[in-house]
Amino acid sequence: AQSVAQPEDQVNVAEGNPLTVKCTYSVSGNPYLFWYVQYPNRGLQFLLKYITGDNLVKGSYGFEAEFNKSQTSFHLKKPSALVSDSALYFCAVRDANTDKLIFGTGTRLQVFP
Amino acid sequence: DTEVTQTPKHLVMGMTNKKSLKCEQHMGHRAMYWYKQKAKKPPELMFVYSYEKLSINESVPSRFSPECPNSSLLNLHLHALQPEDSALYLCASSQESGLLNQPQHFGDGTRLSIL
């Protein structure tokens, strides 16, 4: 079965510092990986997706994700964090057998001024 | 701005009421989804419609009844709900079911409270 894991419930970072939100995956076959962000009282917003062959994927709002096949990871990164980046981040994988989107447990990012 | 519109934004209802949640998208997407999300948890899939036909029902209780009147609209009819059904209900759409590299686009949800 396909799955993703987000090992950190919360990540704290100072504004202007680089941030990383971790995600590891377990899939059979090709990985179809996504990152979403959820601001308070809002739905999920699509940030980026893994594209086969690209180890560094660029997405919305200055976010990027680094795909590492040997470590089965798809970590979300940003070179310089903003207070407005504070939100709940979900990593997700598309299950090729069922077409379901399977979410990680989420990581709360807190950026301090 | 979200391209998937959900109404109402908030809904409070008693356990004997009947109400409906509505979702609309104009992106030409042919797959639409209902999710339930509890606070600080990931969304849980409830139903999937593909080309206006129900393709997945995640063993959801019959007090939740989905309907897809056309390719742009998705409804969720509610009847005799329980307090544990209080949650954020999210609608999503994607280009087509089965296109695994296409993202799902979410609405802002309806926050439902059952008294």
Side-chain angles (χ1 to χ4, degrees):
Chain A
Q2 324 278 41
S3 66
V4 290
Q6 294 182 244
E8 301 155 318
D9 289 338
Q10 181 152 332
V11 169
N12 299 318
V13 65
E15 187 174 33
N17 282 1
L19 69 86
T20 298
V21 182
K22 295 180 180 177
C23 173
T24 57
Y25 66 89
S26 174
V27 303
S28 53
N30 294 324
Y32 297 94
L33 297 163
F34 303 84
W35 274 103
Y36 286 86
V37 59
Q38 186 173 31
Y39 297 99
N41 301 313
R42 300 295 301 273
L44 278 68
Q45 294 181 33
F46 167 68
L47 279 178
L48 52 81
K49 65 181 182 182
Y50 171 62
I51 300 170
T52 304
D54 287 353
N55 289 342
L56 188 64
V57 180
K58 294 193 182 299
S60 305
Y61 312 121
F63 283 93
E64 55 192 26
E66 188 173 9
F67 176 78
N68 187 315
K69 187 174 181 178
S70 62
Q71 298 185 3
T72 61
S73 66
F74 189 55
H75 299 332
L76 184 69
K77 297 174 181 285
K78 189 173 183 183
S80 178
L82 300 173
V83 173
S84 56
D85 292 329
S86 299
L88 186 57
Y89 290 79
F90 290 103
C91 181
V93 64
R94 201 78 172 261
D95 187 320
N97 293 321
T98 65
D99 195 30
K100 295 177 188 176
L101 193 58
I102 304 196
F103 290 93
T105 50
T107 298
R108 182 161 301 280
L109 174 67
Q110 199 74 22
V111 181
F112 295 96
Chain B
D1 289 338
T2 182
E3 297 175 20
V4 177
T5 303
Q6 291 188 245
T7 56
K9 292 190 185 305
H10 302 274
L11 179 61
V12 179
M13 58 187 287
M15 289 189 284
T16 58
N17 291 156
K18 285 185 181 180
K19 295 285 185 183
S20 298
L21 309 185
K22 296 186 183 300
C23 174
E24 189 169 6
Q25 59 88 12
H26 292 289
M27 295 179 282
H29 289 172
R30 304 316 299 265
M32 296 185 77
Y33 310 80
W34 279 116
Y35 288 87
K36 174 183 178 181
Q37 186 182 25
K38 291 284 203 178
K40 301 181 183 179
K41 299 291 186 184
E44 300 170 18
L45 183 65
M46 300 174 72
F47 303 104
V48 180
Y49 273 82
S50 177
Y51 285 89
E52 300 159 47
K53 294 191 187 308
L54 184 65
S55 59
I56 295 177
N57 176 340
E58 288 289 280
S59 303
V60 179
S62 59
R63 58 185 185 268
F64 295 91
S65 176
E67 178 196 20
C68 190
N70 60 54
S71 59
S72 300
L73 292 174
L74 187 65
N75 298 323
L76 186 63
H77 303 299
L78 315 173
H79 175 53
L81 295 194
Q82 303 297 308
E84 61 265 28
D85 297 323
S86 298
L88 181 67
Y89 287 84
L90 294 167
C91 174
S93 70
S94 68
Q95 191 171 342
E96 268 190 41
S97 181
L99 292 182
L100 300 175
N101 65 346
Q102 292 302 307
Q104 293 180 15
H105 297 269
F106 287 79
D108 280 339
T110 293
R111 188 161 300 282
L112 177 65
S113 298
I114 307 300
L115 300 178

